[in-house]
Amino acid sequence: MIQIAKLTTIALLASFALAAAADSEGEIWWRGNTHTHSWWSDGDAPPELVAEWYKQHGYHFLVISDHNVMQRGEKWYPIDQPPRRPEAVKRAYERYVDRFGSIWVTTRESDHGREVRLKTLDEFRPLFEEPNRFLFINGEEITDRHLHHPVHMNGVNLVEPITPQGGTSVANTIQNNLDAVVAQSHQHAKPMVLHLNHPNFHFAVTAEDFFELDHAPGDGFFEMYNGHSGVNNNGDELHPSAERLWDIVLANRLGRFNRRLIYGVATDDAHEYNDWGDGFTNPGRGWVMVRAPFLTPDFITQAIRRGDFYNSTGVELRKLEISDRSISIEVDEQPGVDYTIEFVGTRSSAQLTPIAGPFTPDAEPQKPARPVYRYSEEIGEVLHRVKGTSASYQATGDELYVRARVVSSRYHPNPFAMGDPEMAWTQPIVVEARDAESNP
């Protein structure tokens, strides 16, 4: 009986590997996006066309994270007088009817012209979900603000929508919404994740907002890459890129404030599915690769919570081994493409406090900008670099953390910014051992 069960398990895992990406050790990786939009908020296409794009392009899971709403209840979307991009919306409507037919698409006339009843997730879910191939994970972009500073966060694997919680500061607003997701997770005994979206959007969030964020293991995330063309992912002359922001946060949380690490996620934050290229916010720019034994919402979310995923804009890994002292990588090599593997980290001897600032960027008088500090280049330095498809890093003991980054010689076919290469990023390892009781 045990032998039969073992053979059945092997056959089942083999079938999973056919549907997903198996690495050189036979472990299963699932490709997914946790941040995208539809007609339920400010996307320019109905959720069925959104889902179809992701499924056809090799994704295994998708979170349609519309602003302050989940895809449930009754909602009618105006086709003739849409809130944005009217020509694109009309083209999407024509595609929608052509693809799914008038039996599926419910349209009515109102004083403002044609309106379409949006299908709920429960209605359109059966059209796309397949075991071991594709599923939806419930989500919402909790769209909050402090004063005029936008603070947007994605709740992943939610059961119910979460009302923006507000707060006394940007940092407190993040904390309050994180606490609300944690409370719902406990209430329903389900794993959930909250990640802070596009920290450089209007430069509303600073590294300092994360230094003392209080969270349990697996609760703390933010987007270290967002493919939206208008969220300043690369920063500017005063503001760091989202990736460097991640290093500043990691170094200070671990080295100064005795806090847990914060995982980074990559998303595309897609809004536009009818026009493509520079200036449009298209799908397929950034995603996560999650290592999990089963393609279910809870297994995927649990894997993300424990940091068992990497981020990609095109580079995939054949092998990723991470321990508390080392990172080992092997790239899934593509013909004619060169790779550079960099191990990025901050040493315990680095200067962690600001070296200059605060700087106050120009802003409207009624909308004052957040002050900006400059940090040492010792934070997030390249500790080791290898040109090739495989590399390892063994911690020496003087690092606060180490993470890996892979840069390819191939340009992204539809990038956030022209000239961006395809890349991948691992989650960091914390080198110094810490007492769990004193590390909130």
Side-chain angles (χ1 to χ4, degrees):
M1 195 68 168
I2 295 175
Q3 183 65 24
I4 292 174
K6 181 178 180 181
L7 291 173
T8 301
T9 302
I10 292 172
L12 186 61
L13 290 176
S15 69
F16 289 175
L18 291 174
D23 66 13
S24 60
E25 303 299 321
E27 297 183 304
I28 303 168
W29 293 91
W30 309 97
R31 178 179 179 179
N33 183 34
T34 62
H35 189 177
T36 195
H37 296 273
S38 75
W39 276 351
W40 277 89
S41 62
D42 57 349
D44 73 354
E48 296 94 320
L49 292 182
V50 173
E52 188 170 65
W53 188 94
Y54 283 96
K55 185 174 181 180
Q56 289 178 348
H57 287 81
Y59 286 72
H60 302 107
F61 66 90
L62 177 66
V63 179
I64 302 180
S65 56
D66 284 304
H67 294 280
N68 290 336
V69 66
M70 295 170 70
Q71 298 81 36
R72 56 180 64 179
E74 184 173 352
K75 181 178 176 67
W76 292 82
Y77 188 84
I79 299 301
D80 294 322
Q81 296 186 32
R84 62 191 297 269
R85 308 196 72 238
E87 291 304 315
V89 166
K90 289 178 181 178
R91 280 183 277 133
Y93 173 72
E94 292 170 359
R95 289 172 51 216
Y96 188 32
V97 175
D98 182 64
R99 174 66 184 84
F100 293 93
S102 57
I103 294 177
W104 178 265
V105 181
T106 304
T107 308
R108 72 181 183 186
E109 292 290 335
S110 73
D111 293 341
H112 305 291
R114 293 171 298 172
E115 295 178 330
V116 170
R117 187 181 75 81
L118 298 186
K119 293 291 194 289
T120 66
L121 178 57
D122 284 344
E123 288 179 291
F124 65 78
R125 183 193 300 272
L127 300 185
F128 301 97
E129 289 194 328
E130 294 183 52
N132 311 322
R133 184 178 176 194
F134 186 84
L135 63 78
F136 295 100
I137 300 178
N138 291 341
E140 170 197 6
E141 183 163 12
I142 305 166
T143 306
D144 210 339
R145 67 175 48 246
H146 173 67
L147 301 177
H148 64 274
H149 303 297
V151 184
H152 297 185
M153 295 143 287
N154 266 26
V156 176
N157 205 29
L158 300 180
V159 174
E160 301 290 341
I162 289 179
T163 301
Q165 301 294 296
T168 57
S169 65
V170 170
N172 182 244
T173 301
I174 297 170
Q175 184 71 65
N176 289 344
N177 285 280
L178 173 60
D179 292 345
V181 171
V182 170
Q184 187 179 117
S185 176
H186 291 163
Q187 177 188 354
H188 294 280
K190 285 180 67 66
M192 298 179 186
V193 165
L194 182 83
H195 61 72
L196 187 283
N197 297 342
H198 39 61
N200 279 343
F201 183 47
H202 291 289
F203 298 114
V205 179
T206 68
E208 293 76 25
D209 294 323
F210 290 95
F211 286 176
E212 297 191 74
L213 183 69
D214 185 17
H215 69 82
D219 287 334
F221 297 76
F222 75 78
E223 289 179 343
M224 52 73 57
Y225 175 91
N226 179 297
H228 191 301
S229 56
V231 299
N232 306 302
N233 193 67
N234 292 338
D236 64 11
E237 64 277 3
L238 282 182
H239 299 88
S241 70
E243 183 181 357
R244 173 151 176 80
L245 191 75
W246 190 22
D247 283 308
I248 296 169
V249 169
L250 289 170
N252 277 272
R253 283 181 63 86
L254 297 171
R256 290 175 61 200
F257 294 94
N258 195 32
R259 300 278 169 161
R260 289 191 171 90
L261 59 78
I262 282 185
Y263 294 129
V265 298
T267 71
D268 58 37
D269 192 6
H271 288 67
E272 294 159 344
Y273 308 87
N274 297 284
D275 298 288
W276 296 82
D278 187 28
F280 294 105
T281 306
N282 298 140
R285 288 182 175 162
W287 57 88
V288 292
M289 297 293 294
V290 180
R291 179 162 43 191
F294 302 103
L295 182 63
T296 71
D298 285 0
F299 270 95
I300 292 295
T301 307
Q302 286 167 346
I304 293 173
R305 283 181 53 83
R306 63 177 177 263
D308 205 355
F309 69 99
Y310 67 90
N311 303 316
S312 178
T313 62
V315 173
E316 293 192 0
L317 305 182
R318 284 181 49 82
K319 183 178 76 171
L320 173 59
E321 295 179 352
I322 294 180
S323 73
D324 58 354
R325 305 291 290 184
S326 66
I327 303 176
S328 182
I329 282 180
E330 184 179 343
V331 177
D332 185 7
E333 184 178 9
Q334 300 301 306
V337 181
D338 297 322
Y339 300 90
T340 301
I341 301 172
E342 298 175 325
F343 295 94
V344 178
T346 301
R347 302 183 192 278
S348 55
S349 59
Q351 180 174 345
L352 303 181
T353 55
I355 60 173
F359 303 100
T360 303
D362 294 334
E364 301 174 42
Q366 66 274 25
K367 295 183 178 181
R370 307 278 318 274
V372 181
Y373 293 87
R374 184 168 295 129
Y375 288 83
S376 167
E377 294 302 314
E378 295 175 324
I379 293 177
E381 67 174 308
V382 176
L383 304 174
H384 183 54
R385 180 183 287 114
V386 173
K387 290 188 178 296
T389 59
S390 62
S392 297
Y393 186 90
Q394 184 69 37
T396 63
D398 68 343
E399 308 94 337
L400 293 171
Y401 69 91
V402 181
R403 61 185 180 84
R405 174 174 64 208
V406 184
V407 183
S408 83
S409 62
R410 184 163 62 186
Y411 293 123
H412 195 294
N414 184 14
F416 164 84
M418 298 305 294
D420 282 353
E422 293 183 336
M423 299 180 67
W425 302 263
T426 74
Q427 299 307 314
I429 59 171
V430 179
V431 176
E432 290 187 346
R434 282 177 165 76
D435 182 353
E437 292 298 321
S438 65
N439 187 14

